[in-house]
Amino acid sequence: METKMNQKLSLLREEILRISGVNPKKCMRCGKCTGTCPAYHEMEYHPHEVVDFVDRGEIVPLLDAPSLDRCLSCMACTERCPRGVEPSKLVEAVCTVRQRLRGGYTFSPDDIPARLDEDMPQQLLVSAMRKYRK
């Protein structure tokens, strides 16, 4: 039973890597990506941690992390990375895999008014439309 679960997690990791096109082994764990993340306080796993989790194959905590949806997809983490790792692409890939496991995306423009709150930045709305229309 455990072997099947490990195989499934390994396949999910490979799918995340394929979707993102990112090589997490390039990461030197400097934390510059996390230091520049504007959504830092909204996320339980920060950009450098996401890279580390994917690198080690620890996919389950990421799939269970609803705060990854708070990523603004602003690419600030990617811009600051001295090794060109692109953590934002890994975050997006994890969110894509998670949604596929749940049965796909169901977000449409008509859903926006019900999801708005006064503290939500406009960039988040643009990002959400890009993410949830794939």
Side-chain angles (χ1 to χ4, degrees):
M1 182 70 142
E2 191 171 315
T3 303
K4 282 192 179 243
M5 181 62 136
N6 288 341
Q7 288 174 342
K8 183 175 181 176
L9 291 175
S10 179
L11 289 173
L12 288 175
R13 179 183 179 272
E14 292 306 314
E15 186 175 0
I16 290 167
L17 293 175
R18 183 186 54 76
I19 291 169
S20 68
V22 172
N23 178 1
K25 299 233 178 272
K26 291 174 25 180
C27 180
M28 60 185 185
R29 313 300 191 264
C30 67
K32 287 185 179 184
C33 56
T34 295
T36 194
C37 178
Y40 172 84
H41 296 292
E42 302 289 327
M43 300 169 71
E44 69 257 44
Y45 299 114
H46 304 111
H48 76 282
E49 293 171 316
V50 171
V51 174
D52 186 49
F53 275 50
V54 172
D55 188 31
R56 291 184 289 134
E58 293 185 32
I59 305 303
V60 173
L62 297 177
L63 294 176
D64 292 337
S67 72
L68 290 186
D69 290 325
R70 300 293 288 183
C71 172
L72 299 173
S73 298
C74 65
M75 309 297 185
C77 56
T78 295
E79 291 296 318
R80 283 289 285 157
C81 181
R83 306 283 307 264
V85 174
E86 302 179 294
S88 56
K89 287 187 177 182
L90 279 175
V91 170
E92 245 184 85
V94 168
C95 291
T96 298
V97 166
R98 180 176 56 203
Q99 280 306 120
R100 287 179 183 170
L101 290 171
R102 292 178 182 166
Y105 293 103
T106 58
F107 187 73
S108 75
D110 295 331
D111 295 328
I112 291 174
R115 295 173 182 253
L116 288 176
D117 73 37
E118 61 190 45
D119 296 326
M120 189 177 296
Q122 286 184 338
Q123 187 176 11
L124 182 105
L125 295 174
V126 173
S127 174
M129 290 307 298
R130 192 177 89 231
K131 284 183 182 183
Y132 296 108
R133 303 276 298 186
K134 290 181 182 177

